[in-house]
Every structure is written in structure tokens, then in C-alpha cells.
Amino acid sequence: SGSKALAAVGSTSPITSLFITIFVGLSIGANVVISRFLGAQNDKQVKKAVHTSLVLSVISGIIIALIGELIAKWLLVMMSTPAEVLDQALLFLRITFIGMIFLTIYNFESAILRASGDTKRPLYCLLISGVINVSLGLFFVVICKLDVAGVALATLIADATSALLLLIILIKEKGALKVSFKDLQIDPRITKDILFTGIPAAIQGMLFNIANIIIQSGINSLGADVVAASTVGLNFEIYIYYLITGFAQASITFNSQNYGAKNYKRCIQSTRWCMGLGFIFTMLLSGIFILFSHTFAGIFTSDQAIIELATIRMRYILAFEFLNMTIEIMSGSLRGLGNPMISTILCVIFVCGVRLFYMFVIFPHYNTFNMLLIIYPISWATASASI
């Protein structure tokens, strides 16, 4: 649909990420609590935690969607979104927020299954919804000419599908993870435990993304071509991030289960294995993306100027993703061990604080794309060293 449509979707990424990290953080709380009860072999509490988590997913999804709809335009204007892409970006956001509840429910459902070590069935459901997303995206954009609205609608339908498939799986599940509609209620004590771990994780993610919104405003000030190129590069950072998140989630689950079983030696082993494997796979995938950066960027656009700018972002950021990996896995380990605030405080200081200082004090004097990008490895390095 052209570079403007690409820039419109890309300019919304920090905003959607901001809201997604809220319920992802809360779902981490559900993962930790359920894993701990499973480790302690307390099926009664597992059942309460599962049903409490699902109710919380619906409530938080509705709240996030309403807030998002109310402040969507304000956020885009605050980020200095280029005028030529503002209307398309706002349309994309409004449709996206309507579907937030499905994404919220899916993440909580995934957290329930992952707490027991089951990462396969959430993946299968996501593969199905991914095929639906791509197929409908091509249909809506290429055939129906819906541009950004088509992309957003395809994602909404895909998210609803994955949430429904996981709900069916949980209803048919046997044992403590089985979901029954008559048991859907909030247990105050379990809710408190979920929020104790989930809120710091949500705050950490929110502040990360607030800092990224400030950075995005700097990118937006450099023009639509830079926004489009940054969007292309960001896609590959997202792939790396979810690889990192996979090992971080494994660290949360293993540490929580072993902490609940009072097997503290295996907590240490779990963290070491996640760090080692996370480093290997992060560097491997980052290296592939950097080595073939022109080819990968060419998937999204044929504009050579945008491709060149995109490869700059890929080289500046992907080479240092192993620092981000350290932050995420160590944060996950601390949450699994019942210490969610430590990583949050350190990341607020050494990631968000450093990025905001850089954007408001240094970048105004050196406002180029290259100078803006180096804030990512600088902030990751300070945070990973502190954790």
C-alpha cells in the first residue's frame, strides 16, 4: 500500500506495545502464581488461580481497550506523528484497541498452560491464527484495498480465533487447569498475589514503552521516510524480542515451580541454562538478520533509500540484543523467585531514565537517525550491568 501506509502502522508500534505490556505483565503474575502452586502440588489453589486469572483477563482487556480509544489521537499527536500519516495511524489504532480484549485473554490463557510447562498448544493456536492473519491481511489489503484498516481487521480476527481456541482447550483440559464457567470468580488473596508480581512487570513494560514513545517522537521528527525505515527495522527487533521473551518465560516458569517445590538449587540451574541458551540463539538470529539486512528489508519495501536507512537501524540495534536478553531473563528469574520489584526499579533507573535524559538533553543537539539509535545499546548496557 506504499510507504505512507507502512509509516502509519509503524508509528503506532510504541503505543500498541505500551498497552500490550500492561496485560502481558499481569499475565506474568498469573504464570508465577499458578507455577508456584503446581510446584507445591496444591491443586485446589491452582484451580482458584486459573479461574481468577481468566476473570482478570476480561476485566483488564475491557479497561485497556476503553483507555486506548480515549487517548489514541492524543498519543499520536504527542509523538509528532507526521501529518500525512496521522489519519491512517489513528484508524489503525482504533481498530486495534477494539481487539485488545482478545489479545489479553489469549495471553492469560497462554500463561495458564505455560505455568505447567505446556508451550506447544499455545504455539499451535498462534500458528493457526498467524495463517489467518496473513491470509486475511493479504485479502483485505490487496483485494479489498483496505490498506491499514485491512491489516488491523485481520489481526483482530486472528487474535479472537487464538483466544477462542485456547479457551476450548482449557475447557476440555483435565485436572486442576480445567476451566468451568461456573467456577469463574475472583479470589481476593490470589488476585493480590497475581498483582504483586504482575503490576511491577506491567509498570516496567509501560515505562520502557513510554521511553520508546519519546524516542518514536524523535524518529517522527526526522520525516516519513525515516519512520517507514524504522518500521522495517523494528520488525526484526520484534522477532528477536519474542525469542528473548521465550527464554524469559521459561526462566519464570522453572524458577516459580522449583521455588514452590523448595528446590532452590534447580532455580540457579534454570537461570544459567536460560541465560546460556538465550545468548546463543539471540546472537545467531541477530547475526543472520544483520548479514542479510538488505534482503530482509527488501521484503517490506522496494524503495532503496528506505532500505538503506532500515539496515542502519538493524546494525545499530540487533548487534546488542544480547544485552536486552540479559535484562529480560534476569528479570524473569527474579519474578519467579518472588522479587518482582528489584528488576523494575533498576530498569526504571537505568533504561527509562537514561533514555529520557538522552532524548531531552543530548539528542536535540545531535538530531540525526544514527545518534538517536545509539541510545538503545547504551541503556541496555547500563541496565544489564546493574541487574
Side-chain angles (χ1 to χ4, degrees), residues 42-293:
N42 191 335
D43 288 352
K44 182 179 180 181
Q45 292 297 96
V46 171
K47 184 177 180 180
K48 287 183 179 180
V50 166
H51 289 86
T52 297
S53 298
L54 286 177
V55 176
L56 285 176
S57 73
V58 174
I59 295 172
S60 59
I62 292 172
I63 293 173
I64 290 169
L66 290 175
I67 293 174
E69 293 289 349
L70 290 172
I71 67 173
K73 186 172 183 178
W74 175 79
L75 285 172
L76 288 170
V77 172
M78 186 193 72
M79 290 167 53
S80 303
T81 303
E84 61 266 36
V85 302
L86 180 60
D87 289 341
Q88 285 183 300
L90 181 59
L91 176 61
F92 180 83
L93 267 186
R94 294 207 181 281
I95 297 172
T96 298
F97 280 125
I98 292 172
M100 276 288 180
I101 186 170
F102 301 120
L103 198 54
T104 309
I105 293 171
Y106 170 81
N107 273 276
F108 273 81
E109 291 168 336
S110 297
I112 292 168
L113 290 172
R114 287 172 181 151
S116 67
D118 182 359
T119 59
K120 292 182 179 179
R121 286 186 290 178
L123 173 61
Y124 298 153
C125 293
L126 207 58
L127 286 171
I128 293 170
S129 70
V131 172
I132 292 171
N133 198 345
V134 172
S135 301
L136 288 180
L138 290 170
F139 175 74
F140 288 148
V141 174
V142 178
I143 306 299
C144 301
K145 308 296 182 184
L146 292 178
D147 297 338
V148 297
V151 175
L153 284 170
T155 302
L156 187 155
I157 295 169
D159 289 341
T161 302
S162 58
L164 178 61
L165 289 173
L166 273 189
L167 180 60
I168 292 171
I169 287 172
L170 287 169
I171 290 173
K172 294 183 176 180
E173 187 73 0
K174 298 186 184 299
L177 297 182
K178 180 179 175 61
V179 168
S180 174
F181 287 112
K182 65 181 179 63
D183 292 322
L184 288 173
Q185 57 183 330
I186 289 182
D187 183 283
R189 182 178 175 182
I190 290 176
T191 300
K192 180 181 176 181
D193 290 341
I194 291 173
L195 296 180
F196 175 76
T197 300
I199 288 178
I203 290 173
Q204 180 175 326
M206 284 174 59
L207 292 174
F208 261 62
N209 282 281
I210 288 172
N212 286 342
I213 285 174
I214 302 297
I215 295 175
Q216 183 66 42
S217 69
I219 293 172
N220 292 345
S221 70
L222 299 175
D225 279 359
V226 173
V227 175
S230 187
T231 301
V232 172
L234 181 62
N235 278 283
F236 301 99
E237 294 164 38
I238 291 172
Y239 301 146
I240 299 291
Y241 178 74
Y242 283 117
L243 172 66
I244 292 169
T245 301
F247 286 104
Q249 291 282 354
S251 181
I252 290 171
T253 300
F254 276 93
N255 276 285
S256 298
Q257 285 188 0
N258 285 296
Y259 188 78
K262 302 187 186 303
N263 192 338
Y264 305 124
K265 182 179 179 180
R266 289 202 69 190
C267 292
I268 297 172
Q269 292 173 335
S270 298
T271 301
R272 287 175 177 170
W273 273 104
C274 288
M275 285 287 290
L277 292 171
F279 179 82
I280 292 170
F281 283 98
T282 298
M283 291 304 294
L284 179 63
L285 188 56
S286 295
I288 291 171
F289 285 153
I290 293 171
L291 187 61
F292 301 102
S293 57

